[in-house]
Amino acid sequence: MAGLVAIVGRPNVGKSTLFNRLTRSGKAIVDETPGVTRDRNYGAARWNDQVFTVVDTGGFEPLSETDLSRQMREQTLLAVEEADVILFLVDAKSGFSHVDGDLYRRLTRSGKPVLVCGNKVDGPEHEPFLHDLYELGADRVLGISSAHGYGVSDMMDALVLLLDRRPAEEEGEAPEGRVVSMAVVGRPNVGKSSLINRILGEQRLLVTDVPGTTRDTVDSLVERKGARFLIKDTAGIRRKSRVSLRLEKYSAIKALKAMEESDVCLLMLDSKEGIAEQDVRIAGYAYERGTALVILLNKWDLLESSERDLNRFREDVENKLKYVAYAPVLPVSAKTGKGVERIFDTVPELYRQYTSRVPTPDFNRTIQEAVLRHSPPRYRNNAVRLLYGTQTGIRPPSFLLFANHPEGVHFSYRRFLVNRVRETFRLDHTPIRLVIKKKAEQPGRKRTKSTRARGKRVRKGKAG
């Protein structure tokens, strides 16, 4: 599951505080002065091992006609247009207002699911504040405290239910039976549009030397070797400190959403410049969202023959992009077309891995063999036992493993288990999620000192 959640509301209702809590960051500036957030801020949120994007918007003032208010209103409406779910935040202590009512009706006309939350409900004693908010016309109003966390877990459960609407994919289905979507992403001016023009064999996309020419996501359908691919050209993602135009901020969010909605992400790098800091960030976006990734080294033809050392570039990827070291690395030239067709040899196999399902007995056998080969380190002088597990999903392959002390499984040992799964089931190029949880105690099965003592007395009586 992936998606985009827009936090919308009037100024000073706690949107930025909620954004910081959901993304576990301090990215949004929080102040009691209305209108501190003027542009949209975005970040990744995680709940129950699901990752989605949260967008913080400026306060919506429908009656104000200042330039600043109009810009903030425009930003909010753009976020609503792109969002999968709208989180409408209202100040519960202030109660219902006609401005909130007008805004709620405007949001519902968008056709997007709207989750209404009354903020500043710090505990059960403040729940009566919510009664007034039902005048909005919503079927349900959740009471939360963005500052203290009250009610946020129930709100997140509701968000996940609204977001989890992606149709289930056929497990292991060959690319020939469906369209495989690929998002071409990267920094500005690395050759994304040139690559797609080369693939299409026509000058469909505007190409210039000016960074930021592409402002929107452009889709193109292409067929190769009996399979169909939907290629998405996206705007270059700049460092946030360098994004100044409102339209560029809108384009960056559309690029992130294209990554979430695609099967495979093609990350284009400039082979002459090497791996830049922003390339690392973009790869991190793909990793957080569990998107399959192919790294394209563009402008390979411009390197001197002595510089065309693919092994050196792969080592560079392993050092600077350790968390996506599984991604295939392909040298290409969007200008000459050299190496471009290899993309269509690589992506179908990557998609097969991305949608693969492993039988439960085979998965457990692999884990048992891994434990025999290298047992988990002890945790607080207790042996860590891996009990059993199963696959819980695809896109990417996701596994759940139960243990007696999951907190004692170090990330290095978790990586060891993932690598064993990769080797056994030929999943060497796809992201893999492995969640380790504690097995719940079954009712009546837990043995206390008294029950153990009774058991000993019973055995003695039988022996007599």
Side-chain angles (χ1 to χ4, degrees):
M1 181 203 70
L4 192 67
V5 176
I7 304 176
V8 180
R10 291 188 293 117
N12 209 29
V13 295
K15 297 185 299 299
S16 295
T17 303
L18 180 61
F19 173 86
N20 288 341
R21 177 172 291 277
L22 299 188
T23 59
R24 299 180 183 180
S25 69
K27 292 172 62 178
I29 301 173
V30 178
D31 194 276
E32 293 183 359
T33 305
V36 168
T37 302
R38 298 183 178 181
D39 293 310
R40 285 170 292 120
N41 198 5
Y42 52 88
R46 180 185 294 271
W47 187 251
N48 291 339
D49 302 312
Q50 303 290 353
V51 176
F52 53 92
T53 300
V54 181
V55 181
D56 182 24
T57 64
F60 194 95
E61 297 181 283
L63 302 180
S64 177
E65 289 302 325
T66 66
D67 288 340
L68 179 58
S69 296
R70 282 197 296 269
Q71 291 177 16
M72 291 165 62
R73 192 158 58 238
E74 178 186 349
Q75 285 289 314
T76 300
L77 293 177
L78 290 174
V80 168
E81 180 183 336
E82 287 303 307
D84 297 297
V85 175
I86 301 165
L87 199 161
F88 182 38
L89 202 61
V90 184
D91 188 333
K93 287 186 177 180
S94 298
F96 171 80
S97 75
H98 292 292
V99 174
D100 288 325
D102 292 341
L103 180 52
Y104 176 72
R105 285 189 290 273
R106 182 178 294 205
L107 295 176
T108 54
R109 285 198 297 269
S110 70
K112 308 292 179 67
V114 180
L115 185 64
V116 180
C117 294
N119 193 27
K120 305 181 184 180
V121 176
D122 299 332
E125 67 277 9
H126 293 158
E127 290 281 352
F129 292 152
L130 300 175
H131 297 163
D132 194 29
L133 298 182
Y134 278 95
E135 290 191 40
L136 290 169
D139 295 330
R140 183 186 185 191
V141 178
L142 297 178
I144 69 167
S145 172
S146 58
H148 306 293
Y150 177 81
V152 171
S153 60
D154 290 338
M155 182 200 73
M156 293 294 274
D157 288 339
L159 275 181
V160 168
L161 287 176
L162 291 173
L163 284 169
D164 197 10
R165 292 182 171 182
R166 176 185 288 183
E169 297 289 340
E170 292 295 326
E171 298 164 7
E173 184 184 2
E176 290 81 357
R178 71 181 301 277
V179 176
V180 178
S181 57
M182 305 186 297
V184 184
V185 300
R187 292 180 289 123
N189 211 30
V190 293
K192 299 184 293 297
S193 297
S194 297
L195 173 69
I196 296 178
N197 285 336
R198 170 61 60 179
I199 292 172
L200 298 177
E202 58 180 290
Q203 196 72 11
R204 174 173 177 179
L205 304 178
L206 181 62
V207 179
T208 72
D209 292 330
V210 179
T213 301
T214 301
R215 298 286 192 178
D216 211 339
T217 301
V218 181
D219 297 351
S220 304
L221 191 63
V222 65
E223 187 169 336
R224 285 291 193 280
K225 301 178 181 178
R228 292 183 299 163
F229 302 87
L230 183 67
I231 307 176
K232 301 182 178 184
D233 184 30
T234 64
I237 303 176
R238 300 173 184 257
R239 287 176 53 189
K240 192 164 180 59
S241 60
R242 293 186 179 179
V243 177
S244 56
L245 297 176
R246 289 180 290 115
L247 189 56
E248 285 197 33
K249 295 185 179 183
Y250 175 54
S251 300
I253 290 185
K254 294 203 72 171
L256 293 177
K257 187 176 182 182
M259 291 173 62
E260 290 185 341
E261 294 176 344
S262 298
D263 300 311
V264 180
C265 180
L266 305 181
L267 172 57
M268 291 196 72
L269 309 182
D270 189 324
S271 58
K272 293 192 68 177
E273 297 180 4
I275 300 175
E277 183 180 350
Q278 185 64 356
D279 297 325
V280 177
R281 289 195 183 94
I282 297 172
Y285 292 146
Y287 173 77
E288 289 173 350
R289 289 152 179 79
T291 306
L293 188 68
V294 178
I295 298 175
L296 303 180
L297 301 175
N298 193 29
K299 306 180 184 179
W300 190 255
D301 57 310
L302 300 181
L303 296 179
E304 300 292 337
S305 57
S306 59
E307 297 176 318
R308 296 177 189 172
D309 187 347
L310 188 56
N311 289 329
R312 179 178 64 82
F313 275 95
R314 284 176 174 153
E315 289 176 2
D316 204 21
V317 168
E318 291 179 2
N319 291 330
K320 296 182 179 179
L321 305 174
K322 294 179 181 179
Y323 43 88
V324 293
Y326 50 78
V329 180
L330 303 178
V332 299
S333 171
K335 184 178 180 179
T336 66
K338 188 172 183 180
V340 169
E341 288 303 312
R342 289 189 60 195
I343 296 172
F344 299 100
D345 295 326
T346 303
V347 168
E349 169 59 19
L350 180 53
Y351 180 79
R352 181 200 67 78
Q353 296 184 23
Y354 193 52
T355 58
S356 289
R357 184 168 287 279
V358 174
T360 297
D362 295 346
F363 173 72
N364 283 288
R365 189 179 307 112
T366 299
I367 296 298
Q368 292 169 7
E369 292 172 354
V371 170
L372 289 175
R373 179 175 172 180
H374 177 43
S375 59
R378 296 179 69 83
Y379 175 70
R380 295 181 179 177
N381 207 30
N382 294 316
V384 175
R385 291 181 291 111
L386 304 180
L387 305 176
Y388 62 90
T390 187
Q391 186 170 357
T392 56
I394 58 175
R395 297 169 50 99
S398 304
F399 301 90
L400 175 62
L401 186 61
F402 290 99
N404 62 336
H405 293 292
E407 65 276 15
V409 182
H410 194 264
F411 76 90
S412 60
Y413 192 80
R414 186 191 303 262
R415 185 173 57 212
F416 164 73
L417 294 176
V418 169
N419 287 337
R420 298 289 77 76
V421 172
R422 289 189 186 283
E423 292 175 4
T424 305
F425 302 107
R426 292 176 52 230
L427 302 176
D428 51 327
H429 289 314
T430 179
I432 292 177
R433 285 178 176 159
L434 175 63
V435 177
I436 302 179
K437 289 187 177 180
K438 186 176 182 63
K439 183 179 182 296
E441 292 284 350
Q442 297 183 9
R445 296 295 300 274
K446 187 175 181 180
R447 301 192 68 191
T448 63
K449 289 183 179 180
S450 59
T451 56
R452 287 196 296 269
R454 283 200 301 271
K456 290 180 180 179
R457 288 197 295 270
V458 169
R459 287 195 294 273
K460 285 183 180 179
K462 288 183 178 179

